[in-house]
Amino acid sequence: MRFRHFPFLRLLCPFARTPPLLLLSLLSFLPALAHSLNTGSPAFDPSTIRCGANGTILPTPSYGLEGAVFTVCSELLIRGSVEKVYDTVLDFNNYGKWNSFIPLVSIQPPISTPSQVHLNLTMTFTSTGLLPGGLNSTSTEIISVLDHTSPAALAVAAWGSNDPLVDLVSEHPTILTEVSGGSGGMTRSVSYETYYGAGAVGLEVGLGGNLQREFERENEDLRAWVEGGEDPD
């Protein structure tokens, strides 16, 4: 999510130049730095990624672990095939029917089906539940990964944002893994976002808890929609 949509974080930037706060900012990177030093930055392997304990930082397809500050993550099981869940995740036109966190996705020029989603597609997300006072926020997201074959036991879709002005980068993969076949199947959905750069420090302090809550809510909404028998148009 682009830093420009969280104005309270911009207020922190000028003061971060003062030595005390600069020191605090540097110290806040130590957990992520230690994590990178201990584990390196392995190639992204979706078959091994699961939500961990609070504070676990997960690598993303585009950026790995280098410079990562924090991750929010939700994991659950959905009664439905990998193909059905994958199509629902990419059916941005219908987000308003089930997604209480991202009720609106704007794409220009418009697309009509999940099959038209392509790499480097640019979208504008409208998010709820992050800012105080019921205010909505918006972010510009770009599709970075589409990895899916049919029939699929594993599928990955990812999008991300990059705001160099304030040194904030993020990527949001959704990893779908077949847990069991049979009638309808069962799919594990691991939906997470990892944030990188100096701008992520203030974001974690100000909105980290809200982001975690909304990621959990979004994944629960996805499960309810898929299990309710709705098919993407």
Side-chain angles (χ1 to χ4, degrees):
M1 297 199 174
R2 294 182 71 84
F3 188 82
R4 63 188 174 87
H5 301 295
F6 304 112
F8 79 95
L9 292 176
R10 287 194 176 279
L11 295 176
L12 297 178
C13 292
F15 300 103
R17 297 187 181 94
T18 61
L21 290 181
L22 179 58
L23 178 60
L24 289 176
S25 296
L26 292 173
L27 289 174
S28 68
F29 278 107
L30 289 179
L33 177 60
H35 188 279
S36 296
L37 290 174
N38 289 333
T39 64
S41 295
F44 174 76
D45 181 358
S47 67
T48 66
I49 290 180
R50 305 283 295 272
C51 292
N54 289 341
T56 299
I57 299 177
L58 298 176
T60 62
S62 301
Y63 306 107
L65 287 170
E66 184 177 357
V69 176
F70 76 103
T71 296
V72 293
C73 186
S74 172
E75 176 179 332
L76 48 73
L77 297 178
I78 299 175
R79 288 193 299 272
S81 67
V82 169
E83 290 89 345
K84 183 174 183 179
V85 181
Y86 183 81
D87 282 347
T88 303
V89 169
L90 296 182
D91 188 20
F92 298 111
N93 288 334
N94 279 322
Y95 267 35
K97 296 180 180 179
W98 63 268
N99 194 328
S100 55
F101 176 36
I102 312 289
L104 178 64
V105 179
S106 301
I107 301 172
Q108 295 296 333
I111 61 174
S112 56
T113 66
S115 64
Q116 293 178 309
V117 175
H118 57 83
L119 293 176
N120 299 315
L121 177 70
T122 300
M123 310 167 290
T124 300
F125 283 10
T126 297
S127 307
T128 66
L130 294 180
L131 301 180
L135 297 175
N136 293 341
S137 58
T138 60
S139 62
T140 300
E141 309 286 340
I142 299 175
I143 296 287
S144 55
V145 176
L146 295 171
D147 188 357
H148 171 256
T149 58
S150 184
L154 177 68
V156 181
W159 48 83
S161 180
N162 185 348
D163 192 344
L165 182 64
V166 292
D167 190 18
L168 177 63
V169 173
S170 65
E171 190 169 30
H172 174 188
T174 299
I175 301 173
L176 305 171
T177 307
E178 183 181 74
V179 176
S180 64
S183 179
M186 182 74 74
T187 298
R188 178 188 301 112
S189 172
V190 178
S191 175
Y192 70 97
E193 188 158 20
T194 297
Y195 300 83
Y196 305 80
V201 177
L203 182 63
E204 181 180 22
V205 172
L207 295 178
N210 291 355
L211 283 164
Q212 177 61 42
R213 182 191 65 230
E214 294 307 317
F215 262 67
E216 293 172 0
R217 180 166 64 128
E218 182 180 42
N219 220 7
E220 290 166 358
D221 287 348
L222 174 64
R223 175 168 60 185
W225 180 252
V226 172
E227 293 185 355
E230 298 286 354
D231 289 309
D233 293 339

